[in-house]
Amino acid sequence: MSGGHGHVDGSNKRIALLVAVLAAFLAVSEMGGKSSQTEVLTQHVEATNMWTFFQAKTVRQTVVRTAAEELDAQFKDAGNMPPAVKAQIEQWRKTAQRYDSEPETGEGRKELAARAKAHEAKREHARGAYHMFEYASAAFQLAIVLAGAAALTTVMWLAIASGGLGLVGIAFTVLGFVAPTLIHI
């Protein structure tokens, strides 16, 4: 009977080691998930800021264009446009054009849209990582539960299933770090 008891103790030690390894990977996966979640929120805020700035530039551009067109229409009907009015119209049109594209400052509508889209792409990359880490965490948690059940019942297929789920968790963790958009689940 002691031979069987020694075998159970040895199995429980291996299962305890499996649980420790699974818990360590779970911690790494949770850390990656939290970091990715924070990055999703950060990039979402940055993209929103860029789109808000884009909208403000659009409103300003529309106001300046409308003012130029209105003043131009007023004096074209009169047939006699003073040079100061002509200069003002030209200035407003240049301003409207600058609002559309301003490469030197990166604050024209075209540049703002490109920056917003870049933040959106980073957000989606981080979102993919977050999902991979969440799947990994679930796999590790289930693996730990199965390992605990294996230790209590000495049913070895539970330990094997636990190890298999641990490998699935490792695969999702690696994907979360290196290729979060490789698969979509």
Side-chain angles (χ1 to χ4, degrees):
M1 187 163 255
S2 65
H5 183 66
H7 175 69
V8 170
D9 284 344
S11 293
N12 280 347
K13 285 180 183 179
R14 285 192 293 276
I15 290 172
L17 182 60
L18 175 63
V19 169
V21 170
L22 290 170
F25 278 112
L26 174 61
V28 170
S29 179
E30 289 288 329
M31 177 204 63
K34 186 64 175 172
S35 176
S36 295
Q37 186 179 40
T38 301
E39 186 66 12
V40 166
L41 295 172
T42 300
Q43 293 302 326
H44 180 73
V45 167
E46 289 299 323
T48 301
N49 286 344
M50 290 297 110
W51 285 121
T52 300
F53 198 6
F54 173 89
Q55 289 173 330
K57 283 281 186 167
T58 301
V59 169
R60 287 185 213 145
Q61 183 183 44
T62 302
V63 168
V64 169
R65 266 193 194 144
T66 302
E69 290 169 3
E70 185 178 320
L71 199 55
D72 190 33
Q74 277 180 341
F75 280 93
K76 281 199 180 192
D77 288 344
N80 188 12
M81 186 181 297
V85 171
K86 192 173 189 172
Q88 181 62 65
I89 291 170
E90 186 60 32
Q91 182 61 36
W92 282 340
R93 287 188 173 143
K94 284 180 184 176
T95 299
Q97 192 173 18
R98 189 183 80 239
Y99 285 159
D100 195 47
S101 181
E102 202 170 1
E104 56 278 354
T105 64
E107 293 182 354
R109 291 175 66 252
K110 289 178 183 172
E111 294 80 15
L112 291 169
R115 288 168 60 192
K117 288 176 184 177
H119 286 294
E120 288 174 341
K122 289 177 186 176
R123 178 193 64 205
E124 293 312 308
H125 187 268
R127 188 187 317 269
Y130 171 72
H131 289 298
M132 292 298 114
F133 291 126
E134 284 294 303
Y135 294 133
S137 293
F140 290 133
Q141 290 170 9
L142 290 171
I144 290 169
V145 168
L146 289 179
L152 290 173
T153 64
T154 67
V155 176
M156 288 313 292
W157 70 266
L158 290 174
I160 293 167
S162 172
L165 276 172
L167 292 175
V168 169
I170 290 170
F172 278 123
T173 300
V174 169
L175 283 174
F177 282 116
V178 299
T181 58
L182 183 65
I183 59 173
H184 299 281
I185 298 177

